[in-house]
Short mmCIF file of all heavy atoms in Angstrom, two decimals:
data_model
loop_
_atom_site.label_atom_id
_atom_site.label_comp_id
_atom_site.label_asym_id
_atom_site.label_seq_id
_atom_site.Cartn_x
_atom_site.Cartn_y
_atom_site.Cartn_z
N ARG H 273 66.03 -72.34 10.06
CA ARG H 273 66.08 -71.18 9.20
C ARG H 273 65.24 -71.26 8.00
O ARG H 273 64.49 -70.30 7.58
CB ARG H 273 67.54 -70.94 8.76
CG ARG H 273 67.81 -69.78 7.85
CD ARG H 273 69.19 -69.53 7.51
NE ARG H 273 69.85 -68.94 8.67
CZ ARG H 273 71.05 -69.21 9.00
NH1 ARG H 273 71.78 -69.93 8.28
NH2 ARG H 273 71.55 -68.58 10.08
N LYS H 274 65.15 -72.40 7.38
CA LYS H 274 64.25 -72.65 6.24
C LYS H 274 62.84 -72.48 6.70
O LYS H 274 62.01 -71.96 5.92
CB LYS H 274 64.48 -74.08 5.57
CG LYS H 274 65.77 -74.15 4.81
CD LYS H 274 65.66 -73.30 3.70
CE LYS H 274 66.88 -73.37 2.75
NZ LYS H 274 66.84 -72.39 1.69
N GLN H 275 62.49 -73.06 7.84
CA GLN H 275 61.17 -73.00 8.31
C GLN H 275 60.80 -71.47 8.60
O GLN H 275 59.62 -71.03 8.35
CB GLN H 275 61.00 -73.80 9.60
CG GLN H 275 59.58 -73.86 10.12
CD GLN H 275 59.48 -74.60 11.42
OE1 GLN H 275 60.49 -74.99 12.01
NE2 GLN H 275 58.30 -74.96 11.82
N ALA H 276 61.73 -70.78 9.15
CA ALA H 276 61.42 -69.33 9.40
C ALA H 276 61.21 -68.57 8.01
O ALA H 276 60.45 -67.69 7.99
CB ALA H 276 62.60 -68.69 10.20
N GLU H 277 62.02 -68.95 6.95
CA GLU H 277 61.84 -68.22 5.70
C GLU H 277 60.47 -68.58 5.15
O GLU H 277 59.82 -67.69 4.64
CB GLU H 277 62.92 -68.72 4.79
CG GLU H 277 64.38 -68.19 5.14
CD GLU H 277 65.32 -68.79 4.18
OE1 GLU H 277 65.07 -69.52 3.28
OE2 GLU H 277 66.49 -68.45 4.46
N VAL H 278 60.04 -69.83 5.28
CA VAL H 278 58.73 -70.21 4.74
C VAL H 278 57.57 -69.57 5.49
O VAL H 278 56.68 -69.01 4.92
CB VAL H 278 58.54 -71.80 4.90
CG1 VAL H 278 57.12 -72.18 4.54
CG2 VAL H 278 59.45 -72.41 3.88
N THR H 279 57.71 -69.43 6.90
CA THR H 279 56.66 -68.68 7.55
C THR H 279 56.67 -67.32 7.32
O THR H 279 55.66 -66.69 7.39
CB THR H 279 56.80 -68.95 9.12
OG1 THR H 279 58.17 -68.64 9.56
CG2 THR H 279 56.49 -70.44 9.37
N ALA H 280 57.78 -66.70 7.05
CA ALA H 280 57.93 -65.31 6.77
C ALA H 280 57.27 -65.06 5.49
O ALA H 280 56.56 -64.04 5.20
CB ALA H 280 59.34 -64.85 6.73
N LYS H 281 57.46 -65.94 4.48
CA LYS H 281 56.86 -65.80 3.20
C LYS H 281 55.35 -65.92 3.30
O LYS H 281 54.57 -65.18 2.61
CB LYS H 281 57.38 -66.77 2.15
CG LYS H 281 58.75 -66.44 1.70
CD LYS H 281 59.23 -67.54 0.69
CE LYS H 281 60.60 -67.28 0.25
NZ LYS H 281 61.12 -68.28 -0.59
N ARG H 282 54.86 -66.79 4.11
CA ARG H 282 53.44 -67.04 4.24
C ARG H 282 52.78 -65.84 4.97
O ARG H 282 51.67 -65.47 4.67
CB ARG H 282 53.12 -68.24 5.06
CG ARG H 282 53.21 -69.53 4.32
CD ARG H 282 52.76 -70.67 5.21
NE ARG H 282 53.45 -71.83 4.72
CZ ARG H 282 53.62 -72.95 5.50
NH1 ARG H 282 53.25 -72.93 6.75
NH2 ARG H 282 54.27 -73.92 5.01
N SER H 283 53.50 -65.34 6.03
CA SER H 283 52.82 -64.26 6.73
C SER H 283 52.86 -62.90 6.12
O SER H 283 52.02 -62.03 6.39
CB SER H 283 53.52 -64.14 8.19
OG SER H 283 54.85 -63.75 7.90
N SER H 284 53.74 -62.68 5.16
CA SER H 284 53.64 -61.48 4.47
C SER H 284 52.67 -61.46 3.36
O SER H 284 52.35 -62.45 2.74
CB SER H 284 55.01 -61.21 3.80
OG SER H 284 55.44 -62.19 2.86
N PHE H 285 51.99 -60.37 3.18
CA PHE H 285 50.91 -60.33 2.24
C PHE H 285 51.44 -59.46 1.08
O PHE H 285 52.24 -58.52 1.16
CB PHE H 285 49.60 -59.85 2.71
CG PHE H 285 49.72 -58.46 3.43
CD1 PHE H 285 49.50 -57.32 2.72
CD2 PHE H 285 50.08 -58.41 4.80
CE1 PHE H 285 49.63 -56.16 3.25
CE2 PHE H 285 50.18 -57.02 5.33
CZ PHE H 285 50.00 -55.96 4.66
N LYS H 286 50.91 -59.76 -0.12
CA LYS H 286 51.31 -58.89 -1.32
C LYS H 286 50.21 -58.00 -1.63
O LYS H 286 48.97 -58.33 -1.61
CB LYS H 286 51.57 -59.88 -2.45
CG LYS H 286 52.72 -60.86 -2.22
CD LYS H 286 52.76 -61.85 -3.34
CE LYS H 286 54.00 -62.83 -3.09
NZ LYS H 286 54.12 -63.80 -4.21
N LEU H 287 50.65 -56.91 -2.07
CA LEU H 287 49.62 -55.93 -2.59
C LEU H 287 49.56 -56.10 -4.01
O LEU H 287 50.47 -55.99 -4.81
CB LEU H 287 50.20 -54.50 -2.27
CG LEU H 287 50.19 -54.02 -0.82
CD1 LEU H 287 50.84 -52.67 -0.64
CD2 LEU H 287 48.84 -54.14 -0.13
N VAL H 288 48.37 -56.48 -4.47
CA VAL H 288 48.16 -56.68 -5.82
C VAL H 288 47.33 -55.65 -6.44
O VAL H 288 46.21 -55.27 -5.94
CB VAL H 288 47.33 -58.14 -5.99
CG1 VAL H 288 47.11 -58.40 -7.46
CG2 VAL H 288 48.14 -59.17 -5.37
N ARG H 289 47.68 -55.09 -7.52
CA ARG H 289 46.94 -54.04 -8.19
C ARG H 289 46.02 -54.69 -9.14
O ARG H 289 46.38 -55.26 -10.10
CB ARG H 289 47.84 -53.08 -8.98
CG ARG H 289 48.64 -52.21 -8.00
CD ARG H 289 49.48 -51.28 -8.80
NE ARG H 289 50.13 -50.32 -7.89
CZ ARG H 289 50.07 -49.08 -7.97
NH1 ARG H 289 49.29 -48.49 -8.88
NH2 ARG H 289 50.69 -48.38 -7.13
N GLY H 290 44.76 -54.69 -8.85
CA GLY H 290 43.71 -55.27 -9.65
C GLY H 290 42.62 -54.28 -9.89
O GLY H 290 42.66 -53.18 -9.36
N PRO H 291 41.69 -54.59 -10.74
CA PRO H 291 40.51 -53.66 -10.96
C PRO H 291 39.77 -53.48 -9.65
O PRO H 291 39.49 -54.47 -8.95
CB PRO H 291 39.72 -54.41 -12.09
CG PRO H 291 40.13 -55.79 -12.00
CD PRO H 291 41.56 -55.85 -11.58
N VAL H 292 39.42 -52.25 -9.49
CA VAL H 292 38.67 -51.94 -8.32
C VAL H 292 37.15 -51.97 -8.61
O VAL H 292 36.74 -51.42 -9.68
CB VAL H 292 38.97 -50.50 -7.83
CG1 VAL H 292 38.12 -50.16 -6.67
CG2 VAL H 292 40.46 -50.39 -7.38
N ARG H 293 36.43 -52.59 -7.85
CA ARG H 293 34.87 -52.74 -8.09
C ARG H 293 34.26 -51.43 -7.62
O ARG H 293 34.37 -51.12 -6.42
CB ARG H 293 34.41 -53.86 -7.35
CG ARG H 293 33.11 -54.34 -7.82
CD ARG H 293 32.66 -55.62 -7.10
NE ARG H 293 31.67 -55.08 -6.26
CZ ARG H 293 31.32 -55.68 -5.09
NH1 ARG H 293 31.88 -56.69 -4.65
NH2 ARG H 293 30.34 -55.18 -4.39
N GLN H 294 33.62 -50.78 -8.49
CA GLN H 294 33.09 -49.46 -8.13
C GLN H 294 31.74 -49.61 -7.45
O GLN H 294 31.17 -48.56 -7.02
CB GLN H 294 33.04 -48.52 -9.33
CG GLN H 294 34.33 -48.16 -9.93
CD GLN H 294 35.06 -47.21 -9.01
OE1 GLN H 294 34.51 -46.36 -8.32
NE2 GLN H 294 36.44 -47.40 -8.89
N HIS H 295 31.13 -50.74 -7.51
CA HIS H 295 29.71 -50.90 -7.00
C HIS H 295 29.78 -50.79 -5.49
O HIS H 295 30.56 -51.32 -4.80
CB HIS H 295 29.28 -52.39 -7.41
CG HIS H 295 27.82 -52.61 -7.02
ND1 HIS H 295 26.79 -51.85 -7.59
CD2 HIS H 295 27.31 -53.42 -6.05
CE1 HIS H 295 25.64 -52.36 -7.02
NE2 HIS H 295 25.99 -53.19 -6.12
N ASP H 296 28.79 -50.09 -5.03
CA ASP H 296 28.59 -49.83 -3.52
C ASP H 296 29.80 -49.14 -2.93
O ASP H 296 30.08 -49.24 -1.73
CB ASP H 296 28.35 -51.17 -2.77
CG ASP H 296 27.12 -51.82 -3.11
OD1 ASP H 296 26.17 -51.10 -3.58
OD2 ASP H 296 26.97 -53.01 -2.85
N THR H 297 30.36 -48.06 -3.64
CA THR H 297 31.52 -47.39 -3.08
C THR H 297 31.19 -45.88 -2.94
O THR H 297 31.93 -45.17 -2.40
CB THR H 297 32.69 -47.53 -4.01
OG1 THR H 297 32.38 -47.03 -5.36
CG2 THR H 297 33.27 -48.93 -4.02
N SER H 298 29.93 -45.53 -3.26
CA SER H 298 29.56 -44.13 -3.12
C SER H 298 29.17 -43.95 -1.70
O SER H 298 28.98 -44.84 -0.84
CB SER H 298 28.40 -43.79 -4.03
OG SER H 298 27.34 -44.45 -3.65
N TYR H 299 29.21 -42.63 -1.34
CA TYR H 299 28.87 -42.27 -0.01
C TYR H 299 27.28 -42.03 0.17
O TYR H 299 26.85 -41.71 1.25
CB TYR H 299 29.48 -40.87 0.34
CG TYR H 299 31.04 -41.11 0.48
CD1 TYR H 299 31.94 -40.55 -0.47
CD2 TYR H 299 31.58 -41.80 1.56
CE1 TYR H 299 33.17 -40.74 -0.41
CE2 TYR H 299 32.89 -41.92 1.62
CZ TYR H 299 33.81 -41.44 0.60
OH TYR H 299 35.12 -41.59 0.77
N GLU H 300 26.61 -42.19 -0.88
CA GLU H 300 25.15 -42.02 -0.66
C GLU H 300 24.56 -43.38 -0.01
O GLU H 300 25.06 -44.40 -0.21
CB GLU H 300 24.46 -41.98 -2.18
CG GLU H 300 24.87 -40.76 -2.89
CD GLU H 300 24.29 -40.79 -4.24
OE1 GLU H 300 23.29 -41.50 -4.52
OE2 GLU H 300 24.68 -39.94 -5.05
N PRO H 301 23.52 -43.07 0.70
CA PRO H 301 22.91 -44.22 1.38
C PRO H 301 22.33 -45.14 0.27
O PRO H 301 21.84 -44.75 -0.67
CB PRO H 301 21.83 -43.68 2.19
CG PRO H 301 21.72 -42.35 1.80
CD PRO H 301 22.90 -41.85 1.10
#
Side-chain angles (χ1 to χ4, degrees):
R273 180 175 285 146
K274 286 294 181 186
Q275 185 181 14
E277 289 174 3
V278 168
T279 55
K281 286 180 183 177
R282 280 189 207 152
S283 65
S284 65
F285 57 92
K286 296 178 182 177
L287 295 176
V288 179
R289 291 183 176 235
V292 177
R293 201 179 102 207
Q294 295 292 326
H295 184 68
D296 292 337
T297 56
S298 68
Y299 292 108
E300 296 177 11

